């Protein structure tokens, strides 16, 4: 990847961080998004002494590092620190070569729904078709509320993920992995929407139950690439009008 391509991807990851914050998937300083460069390097949001939080992420906050947490090029970590939970990204990418991006976020609705014992199920259909299919395929839970700062814990989380693109980390947050940075964040938005709807149904005295099996034939799974571009344009436009 040349310097211009690297700069473009830094900007994309920074935008994704700001989108996640705008959607209340993160708050304050916590949460990070990464993009794979090759089998040894990734770009990831790092912290500095001038960091104002995820909502204000700059391209310069996205640093090139090796999978072992060392600088990808000389001086890349001058004034910056890698996230404590780098193993979330590294172990996910090592286990799944098909993934190019990982988002570790802290959406309160998802955490509270899980703590309340509410499983993420496809409560609706055409309201959010990608989200419905995400739920139908199952959203697993990593049942430890720990800081995932070692390779061992990262491997545990990936094992709990069970091949799914999204996992809930109990009492902690979520990890979403995908082929693109945009898709990783859009999956998180869909998961948060499902959790929020589940909480609303329960608070209204209702029961969360999946849609009817016969409905799936008229909810075509068009794949993330079909809707991703339009959905991501909307998210970027929302940023400009905040």
């Amino acid at each position: 990847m040349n310097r211009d391509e690297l700069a473009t991807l830094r900007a994309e990851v920074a935008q994704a961080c700001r989108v996640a914050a705008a959607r209340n998937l993160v708050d304050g300083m916590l949460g990070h998004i990464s993009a794979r460069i090759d089998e040894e390097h990734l770009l990831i949001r790092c912290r500095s002494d001038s960091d104002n939080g995820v909502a204000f992420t700059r391209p310069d906050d996205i640093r090139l590092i090796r999978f072992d947490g060392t600088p990808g090029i000389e001086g890349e970590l001058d004034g910056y620190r890698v996230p404590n939970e780098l193993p979330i990204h590294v172990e996910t990418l090592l286990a799944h070569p098909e993934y190019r991006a990982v988002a570790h976020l802290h959406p309160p609705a998802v955490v509270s729904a899980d703590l309340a014992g509410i499983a993420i199920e496809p409560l609706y259909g055409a309201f959010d078709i990608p989200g419905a299919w995400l739920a139908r395929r199952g959203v697993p839970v990593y049942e430890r509320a720990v800081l995932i700062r070692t390779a061992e814990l990262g491997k545990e989380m990936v094992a709990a993920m069970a091949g799914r693109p999204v996992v809930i980390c109990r009492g902690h947050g979520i990890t979403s992995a995908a082929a693109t940075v945009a898709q990783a964040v859009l999956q998180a938005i869909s998961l948060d929407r499902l959790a929020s709807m589940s909480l609303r149904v329960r608070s209204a005295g209702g029961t969360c139950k999946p849609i009817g099996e016969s409905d799936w034939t008229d909810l075509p799974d068009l794949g993330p690439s079909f809707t991703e571009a339009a959905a991501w344009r909307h998210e970027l436009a929302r940023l400009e009008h905040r």
Side-chain angles (χ1 to χ4, degrees), residues 133 136 211-221:
W133 279 100
R136 191 185 196 205
I211 61 174
E213 191 64 27
S214 63
D215 289 343
W216 290 102
T217 56
D218 289 311
L219 291 172
D221 182 6

Side-chain angles (χ1 to χ4, degrees), residues 29-212:
M29 314 297 288
L30 302 178
H32 23 81
I33 297 174
S34 68
R36 183 202 297 269
I37 300 301
D38 54 34
E39 298 312 305
E40 296 181 359
H41 300 83
L42 72 158
L43 286 171
I44 190 166
R45 189 192 192 280
C46 294
R47 291 189 192 172
S48 70
D49 290 339
S50 62
D51 194 341
N52 290 323
V54 181
F56 306 98
T57 301
R58 307 157 298 190
D60 282 350
D61 297 326
I62 311 304
R63 312 308 293 180
L64 178 67
I65 65 170
R66 295 180 179 274
F67 278 23
D68 64 4
T70 59
I73 53 178
E74 186 176 354
E76 189 70 11
L77 285 178
D78 290 355
Y80 282 89
R81 302 177 296 279
V82 299
N84 286 325
E85 294 188 305
L86 176 63
I88 287 176
H89 302 263
V90 171
E91 297 305 326
T92 300
L93 294 174
L94 286 175
H96 295 282
E98 71 275 21
Y99 293 147
R100 307 296 299 179
V102 176
H104 175 61
L105 309 169
H106 294 176
V110 178
V111 174
S112 59
D114 177 63
L115 291 175
I118 302 173
I120 301 297
E121 296 184 299
L123 304 181
Y124 46 65
F127 182 84
D128 176 8
I129 295 177
W133 279 100
L134 183 71
R136 191 185 196 205
R137 294 183 178 113
V139 180
V141 178
Y142 176 51
E143 297 185 357
R144 302 189 66 188
V146 296
L147 194 69
I148 305 174
R149 57 182 179 174
T150 67
E152 180 182 5
L153 290 171
K155 287 181 172 66
E156 279 186 6
M157 187 209 71
V158 171
M161 220 164 171
R164 307 295 201 282
V166 178
V167 63
I168 297 170
C169 301
R170 177 154 293 158
H172 182 177
I174 69 169
T175 297
S176 174
T180 68
V181 172
Q183 187 181 341
V185 177
L186 290 171
Q187 287 175 168
I189 291 171
S190 284
L191 182 62
D192 183 64
R193 186 178 290 128
L194 278 160
S196 296
M197 189 69 77
S198 299
L199 290 169
R200 287 186 180 188
V201 170
R202 289 284 288 269
S203 66
T207 300
C208 296
K209 59 182 180 180
I211 61 174

